[in-house]
Amino acid sequence: MKSFCETYKNYFLIGAAVNPITIEAHKDLIIKHFNSLTAENHMKFIKTHPEENKFTFEEADKIVALAVENNKKIRGHTLVWHNQTPEWVLQAKSGDTVKREVLLERMKSHISGVVNHFKGKVYCWAVVNEAVKDEGNELFRETKWKEIIGEDYIKKAFQYAHETDPDALLFYNDYYAVKPEKRDKIIKLLKRLKANGTPIHGFGIQAHWNIHDFSLDEIKKSIELYASLDLNLQITELDVSVFGSDDKRKDLKQPTEEMVASRDKFYRNIFSIFREYKDVITNVTFWGVADDFTWLNNFPVKGRKDWPLLFNDNHEPKKALMDVMNI
Ligand code: GLA
């Protein structure tokens, strides 16, 4: 079989999110088919900076070593997020909540510590993840970062990252980025950041999609709209669940033929769209390598099997992958 990323070398990088288990279990697939790696969890705040004066990089370094040995790009993920952030960050010495200046200082020490550690290896960072509110009129998600620091926490995060590694491409990253209501707000934020001089270079569309709730027209329209902002665009967390968001059933041992056919068709269609926009899309990263290890086997229904990727449980390529490689 030909290599997936080689086949796409004139289009964009083909990436995968990996972790210390999958870099062993999926090693051959990773080496052959992907030319960009993202740490699924191991570059996040809670993993890299569990205590105020302690940085831990061993697990992330294993991922980086595999990438470096095999000439793969590395996307850094993620510096500031409302999830997977250790409790010490928000606590004052007195046990109260921290004040703005202290939290900014901690954010700065985190960002500079992590970005500096991976400098020269990580070529782009998802600096801030998921800052926009899904629904309603408010632009920002209510998080401790926003509550304590204020809206400028986003700009500050980008500034700290840029000061530490001026060569890294800096991204804002979010989900539901192709749903019109949230898309409008994300665009508002991106425009605002560009206008106020934030050193932002790109936007990452997470792309946790499924075959029922995401329309190709909206995907295409969204890419057009984001592209018009003159930002580098990446698909950062692609997977295509065979279940719609409201489908919570747990009884399937295998996907139905209909599910497989719709998922495969959806993959063909989105790759046709991505290819059309190869001048703006620089990386298409899957959130995993093969179906035996995907977060969707535990989300949104714990313990429910899903089949969202392009390699199956036995690490074999699906028909959808062959189709995508032969568009
Ligand atoms: C979000 C985050 C990722 C990951 C996924 C679920 O999309 O950006 O880091 O946690 O959720 O696995």
Side-chain angles (χ1 to χ4, degrees):
M1 179 190 173
K2 285 195 298 185
S3 149
F4 187 9
C5 59
E6 264 299 301
T7 306
Y8 268 84
K9 68 171 191 281
N10 296 327
Y11 290 86
F12 30 73
L13 297 167
I14 298 287
V18 299
N19 61 50
I21 297 172
T22 60
I23 56 170
E24 295 304 329
H26 298 153
K27 192 170 192 168
D28 295 347
L29 295 181
I30 293 168
I31 291 177
K32 176 161 177 184
H33 294 288
F34 298 90
N35 49 14
S36 172
L37 300 185
T38 302
E40 185 179 13
N41 287 302
H42 288 81
M43 288 189 189
K44 290 175 180 169
F45 210 138
I46 198 156
K47 297 285 186 186
T48 53
H49 200 174
E51 294 166 32
E52 181 149 22
N53 296 312
K54 184 175 171 196
F55 283 93
T56 43
F57 294 119
E58 291 78 10
E59 298 297 322
D61 284 346
K62 288 185 197 161
I63 294 168
V64 170
L66 176 78
V68 170
E69 270 163 39
N70 293 283
N71 274 324
K72 305 194 184 301
K73 296 274 196 185
I74 306 163
R75 299 193 75 255
H77 175 83
T78 177
L79 298 169
V80 175
W81 191 25
H82 59 279
N83 278 330
Q84 292 179 272
T85 303
E87 279 178 13
W88 69 263
V89 180
L90 299 170
Q91 274 162 8
K93 302 276 187 255
S94 60
D96 301 343
T97 313
V98 280
K99 300 255 176 321
R100 171 181 154 97
E101 291 314 317
V102 176
L103 190 54
L104 276 174
E105 211 27 70
R106 289 180 182 173
M107 184 165 100
K108 183 174 185 181
S109 111
H110 175 67
I111 292 177
S112 57
V114 174
V115 172
N116 194 44
H117 179 81
F118 297 111
K119 197 168 170 173
K121 295 182 179 139
V122 163
Y123 87 109
C124 68
W125 275 102
V127 178
V128 175
N129 198 27
E130 304 177 350
V132 170
K133 193 156 187 235
D134 290 352
E135 285 155 0
N137 292 330
E138 282 122 58
L139 179 54
F140 294 100
R141 179 192 289 274
E142 280 309 318
T143 69
K144 289 288 172 193
W145 295 109
K146 148 93 177 18
E147 184 188 313
I148 298 167
I149 298 175
E151 291 172 18
D152 64 337
Y153 85 93
I154 301 177
K155 181 174 185 184
K156 295 277 186 198
F158 277 86
Q159 283 173 334
Y160 298 149
H162 188 59
E163 281 160 18
T164 313
D165 186 355
D167 293 331
L169 295 174
L170 305 182
F171 280 69
Y172 173 66
N173 197 53
D174 213 332
Y175 66 92
Y176 282 180
V178 301
K179 297 264 186 198
E181 187 179 0
K182 187 156 173 191
R183 178 180 65 211
D184 291 349
K185 295 202 277 180
I186 293 175
I187 289 175
K188 199 167 170 189
L189 171 66
L190 293 170
K191 282 188 173 161
R192 205 183 270 188
L193 293 174
K194 285 195 70 161
N196 72 15
T198 303
I200 178 170
H201 310 113
F203 173 52
I205 298 177
Q206 286 191 6
H208 293 295
W209 292 334
N210 67 61
I211 55 179
H212 295 282
D213 309 331
F214 292 87
S215 105
L216 295 170
D217 287 346
E218 289 301 345
I219 290 174
K220 195 171 156 123
K221 185 168 171 203
S222 305
I223 293 175
E224 291 263 342
L225 287 169
Y226 292 124
S228 73
L229 302 177
D230 197 19
L231 285 170
N232 192 315
L233 209 55
Q234 300 195 341
I235 308 297
T236 55
E237 305 187 20
L238 177 61
D239 44 26
V240 180
S241 173
V242 300
F243 299 100
S245 314
D246 297 332
D247 185 349
K248 300 284 188 312
R249 99 188 97 152
K250 292 176 86 165
D251 55 323
L252 290 181
K253 296 272 175 287
Q254 289 300 326
T256 64
E257 271 174 34
E258 208 188 335
M259 284 170 158
V260 171
S262 322
R263 180 204 56 208
D264 290 5
K265 187 166 165 217
F266 189 84
Y267 263 121
R268 267 197 315 279
N269 286 330
I270 57 176
F271 267 84
S272 297
I273 298 175
F274 298 160
R275 289 163 69 110
E276 252 181 75
Y277 291 94
K278 72 178 168 74
D279 294 339
V280 276
I281 297 178
T282 54
N283 187 321
V284 174
T285 285
F286 290 79
W287 206 244
V289 174
D291 286 351
D292 57 326
F293 205 114
T294 154
W295 73 299
L296 292 173
N297 288 338
N298 274 306
F299 185 89
V301 180
K302 207 160 175 33
R304 178 183 70 182
K305 185 82 189 87
D306 201 341
W307 298 273
L309 297 164
L310 287 181
F311 290 94
N312 69 19
D313 291 308
N314 301 320
H315 304 178
E316 295 149 353
K318 294 182 188 171
K319 179 175 173 296
L321 175 54
M322 297 325 226
D323 291 348
V324 160
M325 284 171 57
N326 285 313
I327 292 175

